[in-house]
Amino acid sequence: MMSQEQNDLITRVGPKTPAGKLMRMYWQPAALVDELAGERPIKPVKLLGEDFVLFRGEQGYGLLDRDCPHRGADLAFGRLEGGGLRCAFHGWLFDVNGKCLETPAEPKSSKLCAGVKQRAYPVVEKGGILWAYLGEGEAPAFPELDCFAAPGAYTFAFKGLFECNWLQALEVGIDPAHASFLHRFFEDEDTSAAYGKQFRGASAGSELPMTKILREYDRPIINVESTEYGLRLVALRELDDGRTHVRVTNQVFPHGFVIPMSTEMTISQWHVPVDDENCYWYAIFTSYTKPVDKQKMRDQRLELYELPDYKSRKNRSNDYGFDPHEQAHETYTGMGADINVHDQWAVESMGKIQDRTREHLGSSDKAIIAYRKLLRQEIEKVAGGIKPLMFLNAENARSIQGPGTMDGIGPTRGWETYWMEVDVARRRGAPWAATVPNETPATAPRLSAAE
């Protein structure tokens, strides 16, 4: 349990809050590139509790404060013309850098325009996502994550809305134990039809369906390691004396994680605060074998999510599609086969902002405990004027690569080197220049899962 003051410290992200100041030290996903692909590439964006307008102009992408500096009208209804975004109220025109180009209602001799500048924020495109930097000073460099290094044909980006605080949404993704319950299926499907679906394929190195492993081995041994990017999480499910299921995932500070989706794909996902009570998850799916079938991936996800806001069709208003007969016979939740719905129910059912003064954590929550400690530590750094973890410059950005993930069945004694060898082999076989770490150390201890 924690105090209300401690809970507020790690959840509230407004401009003047401690966690908000931390979050503004990083690039934040603002929209999918697809969202500005239409005839009118202008979109209102709410991010970290602030309102902006995002647009694509002749000079590239721009992100401005949403209220016009003339008299506060909504720039999201503006016109794209004259090399920028023009307010529909009096025609004031702004470029992607916030420079005022015209104040047409003023006398021709007016110098007003020269003294007006709208607040603007840098925007870059990476991995099918438009990223914005809301902080002060020079923006940090991007880490060389696989999802940024892979060519566009080998990645696919999507997002979805959760109507709850960002932290509880992130914490479900760094909780290795929940998958054995929340995502439990009572019968296994044909794993050959699992493309684009998490936990539905076979575990690497076997023909065992992931659904069977999660269902039958529901007491994982969880290891949490501190890394240069955040945390590495290793969940071990010992099948017998000779075989252990190994799942390696990563928390990428501040609010991302990288996890295996299948033997050929990983998911890099960020839980981005819209405000204190809503967040979007943004995901980049990265393939190490062949180009992603983007149309299939998109069609699968649009069965659940509605445009333009990427809201789930299954939600609180319809009990997330809950079916008591299904819960008794098919799935643990009774909420269908899409695990995004399961996660959404879990995190939204906690309330808009989870009341952590009432929770009781166990040993299976060690990753949650470690992340909260790390989050508080980095909040304190920023408050003291110190650059936080993962605030990178061009030189040290290259040190953050990968990170490695794994979901497979290996030897019970020697799983530590097994997962690294599988990850390295997959990278070496990739048709694009995936980074390959140094050889796995021959002197690594060969421990059993229990040890």
Side-chain angles (χ1 to χ4, degrees):
M1 284 191 248
M2 62 174 62
S3 69
Q4 186 59 52
E5 182 180 16
Q6 291 171 322
N7 197 35
D8 288 342
L9 174 70
I10 59 176
T11 56
R12 305 284 183 175
V13 294
K16 298 181 180 180
T17 65
K21 291 176 181 177
L22 171 71
M23 286 296 184
R24 284 164 177 78
M25 300 289 286
Y26 303 94
W27 289 96
Q28 299 287 339
L32 298 173
V33 172
D34 290 348
E35 294 182 81
L36 268 71
E39 294 182 1
R40 187 176 183 274
I42 305 173
K43 178 179 176 58
V45 169
K46 191 162 192 176
L47 188 57
L48 301 182
E50 297 186 88
D51 292 304
F52 308 100
V53 57
L54 177 66
F55 67 100
R56 189 183 72 244
E58 296 175 4
Q59 300 168 302
Y61 293 103
L63 184 74
L64 308 178
D65 281 352
R66 189 169 169 180
D67 56 326
C68 178
H70 178 204
R71 285 167 57 191
D74 189 349
L75 287 174
F77 290 87
R79 302 168 58 89
L80 275 179
E81 60 184 36
L85 181 64
R86 192 183 294 279
C87 181
F89 194 10
H90 290 89
W92 286 28
L93 179 66
F94 303 91
D95 68 11
V96 295
N97 299 311
K99 180 181 178 182
C100 183
L101 303 177
E102 296 178 7
T103 52
E106 296 299 305
K108 289 185 178 181
S109 61
S110 173
K111 305 293 185 183
L112 177 61
C113 184
V116 175
K117 193 176 191 302
Q118 181 70 326
R119 281 198 300 179
Y121 308 85
V123 177
V124 297
E125 176 183 342
K126 274 189 176 291
I129 295 174
L130 296 174
W131 301 75
Y133 180 65
L134 307 183
E136 299 178 357
E138 186 176 354
F142 277 84
E144 294 193 0
L145 303 182
D146 290 338
C147 61
F148 300 145
Y154 290 81
T155 64
F156 168 71
F158 202 76
K159 75 178 191 179
L161 180 68
F162 282 171
E163 294 182 334
C164 67
N165 184 258
W166 70 277
L167 182 56
Q168 62 217 56
L170 168 67
E171 288 181 342
V172 77
I174 57 171
D175 171 10
H178 84 277
S180 284
F181 302 93
L182 186 66
H183 305 317
R184 180 177 296 190
F185 294 82
F186 298 142
E187 293 188 4
D188 306 313
E189 300 177 357
D190 180 2
T191 58
S192 66
Y195 186 85
K197 301 175 183 178
Q198 192 179 9
F199 296 133
R200 311 296 282 285
S203 186
S206 77
E207 295 183 358
L208 274 177
M210 273 298 299
T211 48
K212 180 180 178 68
I213 294 170
L214 294 176
R215 180 175 66 247
E216 296 185 1
Y217 302 91
D218 58 9
R219 295 179 185 270
I221 297 171
I222 301 170
N223 293 333
V224 181
E225 306 167 16
S226 296
T227 69
E228 66 275 14
Y229 53 80
L231 303 170
R232 178 184 293 119
L233 317 177
V234 183
L236 304 170
R237 290 173 166 86
E238 192 168 312
L239 309 186
D240 51 45
D241 289 343
R243 299 178 305 157
T244 288
H245 176 262
V246 185
R247 182 170 172 83
V248 179
T249 62
N250 305 275
Q251 194 288 309
V252 179
F253 200 80
H255 54 13
F257 57 71
V258 180
I259 61 176
M261 179 179 180
S262 63
T263 55
E264 65 180 278
M265 279 193 203
T266 59
I267 305 173
S268 303
Q269 186 161 310
W270 295 264
H271 287 89
V272 184
V274 173
D275 51 29
D276 289 341
E277 297 187 346
N278 299 276
C279 66
Y280 274 108
W281 60 260
Y282 281 82
I284 303 175
F285 301 82
T286 305
S287 172
Y288 297 87
T289 56
K290 56 188 177 182
V292 177
D293 187 339
K294 294 177 187 278
Q295 192 60 53
K296 184 170 185 176
M297 295 280 282
R298 183 176 289 107
D299 289 346
Q300 285 176 337
R301 282 146 188 81
L302 289 178
E303 289 178 8
L304 177 62
Y305 291 99
E306 291 184 300
L307 304 183
D309 296 323
Y310 293 80
K311 290 184 177 180
S312 173
R313 291 180 171 87
K314 292 185 176 182
N315 52 57
R316 187 181 288 107
S317 70
N318 55 27
D319 290 334
Y320 304 90
F322 176 73
D323 180 345
H325 181 270
E326 179 195 312
Q327 188 181 50
H329 301 284
E330 299 175 38
T331 68
Y332 202 76
T333 63
M335 297 175 188
D338 194 321
I339 70 165
N340 287 292
V341 178
H342 308 166
D343 287 340
Q344 182 183 354
W345 163 78
V347 299
E348 290 184 352
S349 69
M350 299 174 185
K352 288 290 189 177
I353 303 178
Q354 181 193 351
D355 182 359
R356 291 175 177 80
T357 68
R358 294 172 55 82
E359 72 178 359
H360 296 77
L361 300 181
S363 60
S364 65
D365 299 305
K366 61 175 62 176
I368 308 298
I369 295 168
Y371 174 74
R372 292 181 189 174
K373 180 179 178 181
L374 178 61
L375 179 59
R376 289 193 299 269
Q377 170 187 296
E378 300 308 307
I379 288 173
E380 290 175 4
K381 278 187 186 178
V382 172
I386 301 172
K387 294 291 192 293
L389 179 69
M390 287 291 284
F391 187 93
L392 306 172
N393 57 39
E395 294 180 0
N396 61 21
R398 296 195 63 189
S399 67
I400 309 297
Q401 298 179 332
T405 68
M406 201 344 234
D407 194 322
I409 296 175
T412 293
R413 190 168 292 276
W415 59 266
E416 320 92 302
T417 53
Y418 163 73
W419 81 262
M420 290 186 278
E421 289 164 355
V422 170
D423 179 59
V424 167
R426 178 171 64 175
R427 292 171 178 281
R428 285 183 174 151
W432 48 276
T435 57
V436 179
N438 295 329
E439 297 290 336
T440 55
T443 57
R446 305 182 79 79
L447 306 175
S448 69
E451 292 169 321

